[in-house]
Amino acid sequence: MSQSFDARQLRETTAAESAPTPAQFRQAMLRHLQYTVGKSPQQASLFDWRMALSHTVRDYAVDPWFSATRRTWDEDRKRVYYLSMEFLIGRLLEDQAINLGLRDVMVQVLAEFGLSFDEVAEGEPDAALGNGGLGRLAACYLESMATMGCPAYGYGLRYEHGLFRQHFENGRQIETPENWLATDNPWDFTRPEAAYPVGFGGELHDHDGASIWSPRSKVLASAHDTPVVGYGGQWANTLRLWAAMPSADLFNLDRFNAGDFAAASEPEALARSLSRVLYPNDTTEGGKELRLSQEYFLTSASVQDILRRYLAAHDDLLKLPEFVAIQMNDTHPAIAGPELIRLLVDEHAVDFDTAVETATSVLGYTNHTLLPEALERWSVGLMRKVLPRHLQIIETLDTQFIALQGQAPNPVRLISNDQVSMGDLAFTTSHKVNGVSALHTELVSQELFPVHNELHPGRIVNITNGVTPRRWLKLANPSLAALITDTIGAGWESDLERLRELEPYAEDPAFRDAFGRSKRQAKEHFTGWLAAEHGIELPAEALYDAQVKRLHEYKRQLLNILWTIAHWQRIKRDPQANWVPRVKIFGGKAAPSYHMAKLIIQLINDVAEVVNNDPETRHLLRVVYPPNYGVSMAEKLIPAADLSEQISTAGMEASGTGNMKFALNGALTIGTLDGANVEIREHVGAENFFLFGLTTEQVGERRAQQGHSRAALEASQTLRDVLQAIAEGTFSPEDHHRYDGLLETMWNSDWFLVASDFEDYDRAQGEVADCYSDPEKWQRMAILNIARMGYFSSDRSIREYMSQIWDVESAL
Ligand code: 26W
């Protein structure tokens, strides 16, 4: 591509039309193998081939990237900036290839060299720059914004080490550092010219009424860009990840000459740690100074970059809201409000109130959790130490917010009990606040921000989560995707509501058979990988029952494993009965400091050890827990599942997105009326969903009942037998008291109502087995689930953000 090539010409061509011929693709790939990787086909390793392939696919990503960037400038379009401490991206090669219409030619050309795409692609490390739901949602949303032609940037941190690797020793989770950057990342474009100093600590000086902040240390934020191509290759956006760089001119010579060597080299130390590692907690904020510094580093570098880009084409900062929308992915970048106000006031002489108004019109805040321990509250002392100027601004915003509440007896404060509430701050400095499912948004308005909601009616809106059908169906489940395209034609990939056209085929035996075959194919693909990677052999003919998500008590993996023990005990009592063979699949990491979650992991592995080696039952029941669950494992596991476990205590799972991925791949859901389960059940039909458990209201009532857990246990012989077996050391013969703490909690507190929901869960699992014993009925329900999941595309979610919050038009 000669530099003089004008990207605009590209706009007309669709990905398909611009797809190269096998000959062109082969020539381009061999060129990269030789000149970029420096290997001949004879010498090339799988790694070399993957590098050559990635660079070849990348070339095709650059053109839509250039043209999108140019068009956005030329047409002075409004841009969306998605600020997130996490982007759980996974692998990029196949995803980008699919969106560029290159997968088929790629697979074909590789085959000519005797290479299978899967073995080449399997070498790519996951970019695991996130913990779970929030991080993966950000990745799905980036891909959907590009597919929708929404001009956007994702801003995040380029952690050297993503989420830890998990392995088990004697059933216990062991964490080891993740090292995705150990080998070249072909999707990374370094942008040394996009670098910004970020200040930390220091003092404030008053200078004729203006507050001057002189930071104690500064660290350079340097940009690394990754193109995010939309489906169809018509548009591509940028994911800009900041890396902390110690830079000479930030070395504090004065402090050094003053003999304060520690302070002098502080920037170095800080720089080395700021983008070193992702915090592995996904529900407890922990109040660590480095975490706050990471959040500010991300936010300040991003807001500086946003203002630089804006001022390159505009000079009136008060018009910022017409051209810039910033979305805060939870409170983690909530310092963006004070940072934007600081820059407008301190560096652009805008008066305070106008700066507040401008910032509020630019910012949006998405809340992803109601868990009290996950709501960030930074101590005033720490905020003053790290960000003295921002604390000053927050104090002023606090005063204004109190004034807004008039004579209210005890007004809500941004600062209370010597802590800054980042949720209240984010709400106050945003023009729109959204929850991530209808039920969750209701609770956000009623439980989390009732006063704010009163004061700012209409500020809270709901935008139910979604998932990208490109990665989670077209990429992860090629046989089902092909069946769908053969049946209703192509196009559903970017218009998922078209799946509705599958409904009549639920009544078509031929289609049901074809669906059955694609499910079996997905199972063989998963079990093949499981055997090769973990030496675990699974029976193909069984109900694959999966619960894969982060380990947390509210997600109730405990309820699942306790039921599994009860099921095992039942089979042992009556082995001749006509049991549906079942494989219980677990997957998920626990935050390293979350001991109860780690104990539940150990219990699952201890039960697996006994059940899988029980000659009486192992042909009817297996428990598998492949370690290191993440995006790439999910892509293999989810298409293979028959049953999706979404069993959280009602009112505690904000939305869930795994629930959507399973249903989209034809798994039926057993679940509570929690998060997006409620809407999934509404869309797929109550008759195609296995519902159980207390509702959110009933949870509140039951928790208020003294001794509710003991009462529930006394009412369930089945559950008591399970706890008895655990207490007797059946699953921990070498340590009978291993689960005493867990049993004690079950009998005396059970905040997550595992005992109260056990019998109803058991009832629902019985219905699952009965239904699965009628394959025709099951397949009909599964096909109707797929057909009615169109709403849960992240394209629909993004369309709602564009119209309800960002006020941005598609450029396509
Ligand atoms: C400060 C530590 C921390 C880190 C991450 C606290 C909280 C988080 C996230 C908000 C946790 C998270 O991932 N929440 C999940 O977000 C998903 C996307 O909206 C939802 O589908 C899940 O229900 C929610 O648990």
Side-chain angles (χ1 to χ4, degrees), residues 618-659:
R618 66 187 307 282
H619 63 295
L620 291 171
L621 178 62
R622 291 290 181 81
V623 178
V624 293
Y625 196 153
N628 206 40
Y629 176 71
V631 171
S632 290
M633 190 196 293
E635 289 167 6
K636 295 180 182 73
L637 192 155
I638 290 173
D642 300 300
L643 187 68
S644 158
E645 298 271 352
Q646 309 298 334
I647 62 175
S648 52
T649 312
M652 302 193 80
E653 186 69 86
S655 162
T657 44
N659 45 9

Side-chain angles (χ1 to χ4, degrees), residues 133-134 281-282 284-285 330 332 368 436 465 554 653-656:
L134 170 142
N281 312 321
D282 79 332
T284 46
E285 53 102 4
D330 217 281
H332 312 154
H368 296 267
V436 290
N465 283 167
Y554 84 81
E653 186 69 86
S655 162

Side-chain angles (χ1 to χ4, degrees), residues 86 131-138 141 279-286 291 295 329-332 366-369 371 373-376 378 435-437 440 465 550 554-555 652-660 675-676:
E86 304 186 19
N131 279 286
L134 170 142
R136 182 55 233 178
L137 186 82
Y141 278 1
Y279 269 81
N281 312 321
D282 79 332
T283 49
T284 46
E285 53 102 4
R291 171 71 181 191
E295 293 183 353
N329 201 17
D330 217 281
T331 58
H332 312 154
T366 302
N367 173 280
H368 296 267
T369 182
L371 297 178
E373 67 268 29
L375 304 174
E376 294 186 298
W378 294 107
V436 290
S437 77
H440 173 65
N465 283 167
R550 286 293 296 253
Y554 84 81
K555 294 173 185 283
M652 302 193 80
E653 186 69 86
S655 162
T657 44
N659 45 9
M660 300 165 186

Side-chain angles (χ1 to χ4, degrees), residues 88-150:
L88 194 41
I89 297 162
R91 292 173 176 147
L92 276 173
L93 175 55
E94 188 171 6
D95 185 59
Q96 301 268 49
I98 284 173
N99 284 7
L100 288 159
L102 296 173
R103 177 164 67 174
D104 299 348
V105 70
M106 187 168 69
V107 170
Q108 181 189 338
V109 168
L110 275 179
E112 291 161 7
F113 292 92
L115 295 161
S116 97
F117 173 76
D118 283 358
E119 69 176 324
V120 170
E122 198 63 22
E124 181 180 354
D126 271 26
L129 309 180
N131 279 286
L134 170 142
R136 182 55 233 178
L137 186 82
C140 282
Y141 278 1
L142 278 190
E143 194 265 356
S144 273
M145 286 189 266
T147 298
M148 307 299 291
C150 170

Side-chain angles (χ1 to χ4, degrees), residues 20-311:
T21 64
Q24 288 168 327
F25 193 87
R26 180 186 321 105
Q27 195 244 347
M29 183 176 73
L30 288 176
R31 195 178 153 69
H32 273 299
L33 186 64
Q34 177 138 348
Y35 296 106
T36 307
V37 181
K39 286 286 185 69
S40 69
Q42 294 68 31
Q43 303 159 301
S45 65
L46 284 177
F47 172 80
D48 300 325
W49 283 112
R50 180 165 62 81
M51 283 302 138
L53 203 49
S54 303
H55 281 283
T56 307
V57 170
R58 193 180 94 162
D59 289 353
Y60 291 92
V62 169
D63 300 322
W65 196 17
F66 276 21
S67 82
T69 307
R70 169 161 307 291
R71 276 199 53 203
T72 307
W73 278 108
D74 295 355
E75 297 159 21
D76 197 12
R77 286 179 168 276
K78 184 171 186 178
R79 294 175 178 87
V80 171
Y81 296 103
Y82 200 86
L83 269 58
S84 181
M85 283 289 280
E86 304 186 19
F87 287 96
L88 194 41
I89 297 162
R91 292 173 176 147
L92 276 173
L93 175 55
E94 188 171 6
D95 185 59
Q96 301 268 49
I98 284 173
N99 284 7
L100 288 159
L102 296 173
R103 177 164 67 174
D104 299 348
V105 70
M106 187 168 69
V107 170
Q108 181 189 338
V109 168
L110 275 179
E112 291 161 7
F113 292 92
L115 295 161
S116 97
F117 173 76
D118 283 358
E119 69 176 324
V120 170
E122 198 63 22
E124 181 180 354
D126 271 26
L129 309 180
N131 279 286
L134 170 142
R136 182 55 233 178
L137 186 82
C140 282
Y141 278 1
L142 278 190
E143 194 265 356
S144 273
M145 286 189 266
T147 298
M148 307 299 291
C150 170
Y153 283 73
Y155 280 118
L157 290 182
R158 186 176 183 265
Y159 301 107
E160 277 168 56
H161 305 288
L163 187 61
F164 63 85
R165 295 189 64 76
Q166 174 197 52
H167 71 275
F168 299 131
E169 280 169 15
N170 307 323
R172 275 204 300 276
Q173 170 181 295
I174 305 295
E175 305 88 20
T176 52
E178 189 284 327
N179 217 352
W180 71 300
L181 293 175
T183 54
D184 277 12
N185 169 13
W187 305 103
D188 192 39
F189 289 77
T190 52
R191 296 282 189 248
E193 75 282 5
Y196 301 89
V198 178
F200 295 92
E203 281 85 42
L204 298 175
H205 313 289
D206 232 47
H207 178 68
D208 57 14
S211 191
I212 309 302
W213 174 34
S214 43
R216 175 185 171 80
S217 53
K218 286 188 179 169
V219 174
L220 200 65
S222 172
H224 290 253
D225 289 356
T226 295
V228 180
V229 181
Y231 185 71
Q234 289 303 290
W235 193 267
N237 285 326
T238 303
L239 170 59
R240 177 160 280 186
L241 299 177
W242 300 106
M245 312 288 285
S247 68
D249 59 0
L250 290 176
F251 179 73
N252 209 318
L253 200 56
D254 318 347
R255 295 226 178 239
F256 184 87
N257 298 341
D260 187 347
F261 304 123
S265 57
E266 210 173 76
E268 301 267 326
L270 191 55
R272 249 188 290 290
S273 62
L274 272 175
S275 55
R276 167 73 50 82
V277 64
L278 164 76
Y279 269 81
N281 312 321
D282 79 332
T283 49
T284 46
E285 53 102 4
K288 297 281 184 301
E289 178 173 343
L290 178 57
R291 171 71 181 191
L292 175 60
S293 304
Q294 285 185 333
E295 293 183 353
Y296 180 61
F297 182 69
L298 159 68
T299 305
S300 178
S302 304
V303 174
Q304 291 185 65
D305 194 38
I306 291 166
L307 289 184
R308 188 267 312 158
R309 189 174 296 106
Y310 176 74
L311 291 170

Side-chain angles (χ1 to χ4, degrees), residues 6-14 17 67-68 70-72 74-75 233-235 811-812:
D6 176 355
R8 271 188 288 246
Q9 290 168 357
L10 252 178
R11 261 208 304 279
E12 281 68 45
T13 60
T14 65
E17 281 145 19
S67 82
R70 169 161 307 291
R71 276 199 53 203
T72 307
D74 295 355
E75 297 159 21
Q234 289 303 290
W235 193 267
L812 291 179

